[in-house]
Amino acid sequence: QNIKLDSLKILSESQSSSVSNQQIDLINKLCYELRVSYPDLVTLYTQQGLSLSKKNNYKIGECDANITLGLLYWLAPEIDKSLDYGMKALHLSDSLSYKKGAMEANLLLGLVYNQLSDFKKAEDFTKSGNKLKYSLMPLTRIHLNSDRTIGELSPTGSMQYVYIFSA
């Protein structure tokens, strides 16, 4: 925990005039992992990650920061803020076809509506999040014909690896 917190502090404090999207992803990932242990500090760093994402016009970073802020405010509990950040994340993820973001935003909104005792909405959002969680992609599409815009610059495999994985 302390190593992750130190890494987050170093990342957040040692920024030059331009920050890469990979740095924003790392800030968001560390914030997400530390949200329960250091909620006040992580809220500040997550807001910084959100601001950097907006500055870079990095919508996936924005979505991830909104999810973490929604979870932090759900834990606080500040349900109105949590709902607001959850809805922002859901709209962003839907507009980007960002399945991980949509899944996490739906699950967050399920938690929020459960807290509000709106069990029908809680169930609907949770089901939507779980449905997205279990979607699969054929191996040949991943390695040979990738059209993913997240985490890959180009297709990463060859038919040789498809045969190896299929065996």
Side-chain angles (χ1 to χ4, degrees):
Q1 289 278 342
N2 288 338
I3 293 170
K4 288 180 182 180
L5 183 60
D6 292 341
S7 297
L8 179 59
K9 286 179 181 177
I10 290 167
L11 256 176
S12 297
E13 293 168 2
S14 66
Q15 293 171 356
S16 62
S17 59
S18 71
V19 176
S20 72
N21 292 347
Q22 289 82 10
Q23 286 174 293
I24 293 170
D25 286 339
L26 191 52
I27 290 169
N28 283 335
K29 182 179 188 306
L30 289 168
C31 286
Y32 183 85
E33 290 178 9
L34 295 169
R35 70 191 183 283
V36 175
S37 302
Y38 308 98
D40 295 333
L41 192 58
V42 168
T43 299
L44 295 173
Y45 288 130
T46 306
Q47 288 169 339
Q48 182 182 20
L50 180 59
S51 175
L52 291 168
S53 296
K54 287 179 179 180
K55 181 180 173 187
N56 279 15
N57 196 29
Y58 181 45
K59 300 296 184 186
I60 290 172
E62 245 182 273
C63 182
D64 290 343
N66 278 314
I67 290 165
T68 301
L69 286 167
L71 286 166
L72 285 160
Y73 286 116
W74 175 74
L75 290 167
E78 293 183 46
I79 298 303
D80 289 340
K81 286 184 178 181
S82 182
L83 183 61
D84 183 47
Y85 282 111
M87 291 304 277
K88 285 178 186 176
L90 183 60
H91 292 303
L92 264 173
S93 61
D94 284 347
S95 72
L96 300 168
S97 297
Y98 178 41
K99 285 188 177 186
K100 177 182 173 283
M103 176 194 71
E104 290 181 357
N106 274 293
L107 293 174
L108 165 62
L109 291 166
L111 292 170
V112 171
Y113 279 109
N114 190 59
Q115 186 93 18
L116 292 169
S117 299
D118 189 338
F119 302 115
K120 175 69 175 125
K121 281 188 180 178
E123 181 181 15
D124 290 345
F125 279 111
T126 302
K127 281 182 179 177
S128 293
N130 285 332
K131 179 181 168 194
L132 287 164
K133 184 176 183 177
Y134 295 113
S135 63
L136 299 174
M137 185 183 302
L139 186 63
T140 52
R141 181 160 176 243
I142 295 169
H143 287 283
L144 298 178
N145 305 310
S146 178
D147 60 355
R148 293 179 57 210
T149 57
I150 303 166
E152 284 187 70
L153 299 176
S154 63
T156 57
S158 70
M159 188 51 105
Q160 175 184 357
Y161 292 115
V162 173
Y163 289 131
I164 290 169
F165 287 131
S166 301

